[in-house]
Amino acid sequence: MGIDLGGTSTRAELVDGSGALLGRGLAGGANLRSAGGGIAGAADAVRTAAEMALAAAQNPGTAGPGDVPRNSPHDVAHCAPHDVAPRIALGRHRPRVVVVAASGAGPARHDEVAEAFRDALTGICDRVHVENDLAAAFRSASSGGDGYLLLSGTGAVAGRFQGGVLQRRADGLGWILGDTGSGLWIGWQGLRAAAADLDGRGPRTELTGLLVTALGVSPVTGDPCQDLVRRVDDLTPAQIGSMAPIVLRVAGHDAVAGRIAEQAGRALVTSLDAVIDDAGTDGVVIDHARTVGVGGLDETAVSPDAETTGMPKKCAGGVPHEVVLAGGVLSHPNPVRDAVLAALEDRSWRVVTATEPVIGAVRIAQDLLAKGL
């Protein structure tokens, strides 16, 4: 079983020995640093997603509302998690190993997080392996074990992989110390721009009205800025990140939103530059004139299908010029993704997109079994 713990959702997939999908589970998001609940909330989400995947395997054909099947009729169960507990004990679909990929499971707090997840999965599996979310995202889409990852979702991070092992990372430090260019950062900058507009420190922007409406800001104090402060005080970082789509939606015609999108793209490419071998010769440069437009970039030049050689070229350090784009900001069309693609196109990099990082967690689990670990 593989489980991907994200800021907006937690997904689990259970597969059999041949790799065929048996069931999928879906639970709420629980980013360890930016969503409410902390480690305990994350552990609850992991347990719920795992139980749902097992329930789906026990009840073929059940599917949760709004979830898209992935090549199997056994998708997301909609029964209550406690309903599956007696069936788990029967062991019919009990996984031999569970890999949980989670943001915040890096060295700084890995042992603490791993212990919480193992406790949460008691009765489901005795072998629980906890990975950071970078490894799962990379493995879900890369053509091999070598290459780069650039992720922007609730958080933001870049990584270099060799032999499937993370060798170097940049950012991914949480929203207080970094995560620049992430959805949280974009939403945060949008709110700051709206506040500056309201009190006259900054330029007028369409974001002000859109964000005030989206947040349901009530006119209580007589001062629009203080009303915004009252509302924002109640938001978790992940909820601030949920404002990012509003910023990106108007970035094509609103100058303030456009600058935020441009800055996000530049920051992400800077993080990628930081992990590139021999960055002095292989670094990526953004063309400023191409960073703000919406939908105008021809991605075919950097898509896997457009490659004529079939394999990405290698840099001096031996790591191929292939980058996996992952996370909600970089896996969907928007001005930030366009800016990153433009920078990579200028260097003729091969780009693939990770749309389901949980697949990477499943692949890591399969590798552990194959190696007898």
Side-chain angles (χ1 to χ4, degrees), residues 138-139 141-148 161-164 311-312 320 322 324 350:
F138 180 76
R139 286 296 307 279
S142 67
S143 63
D146 299 340
Y148 299 88
F161 289 82
Q162 289 182 282
M311 288 298 293
E322 175 181 88
V324 174
R350 183 176 188 267

Side-chain angles (χ1 to χ4, degrees), residues 42-43 119 121 143 194 221 251 297 313 365 373:
D119 288 345
L121 294 171
S143 63
T221 68
L297 179 65
K313 294 181 291 184
L373 299 177

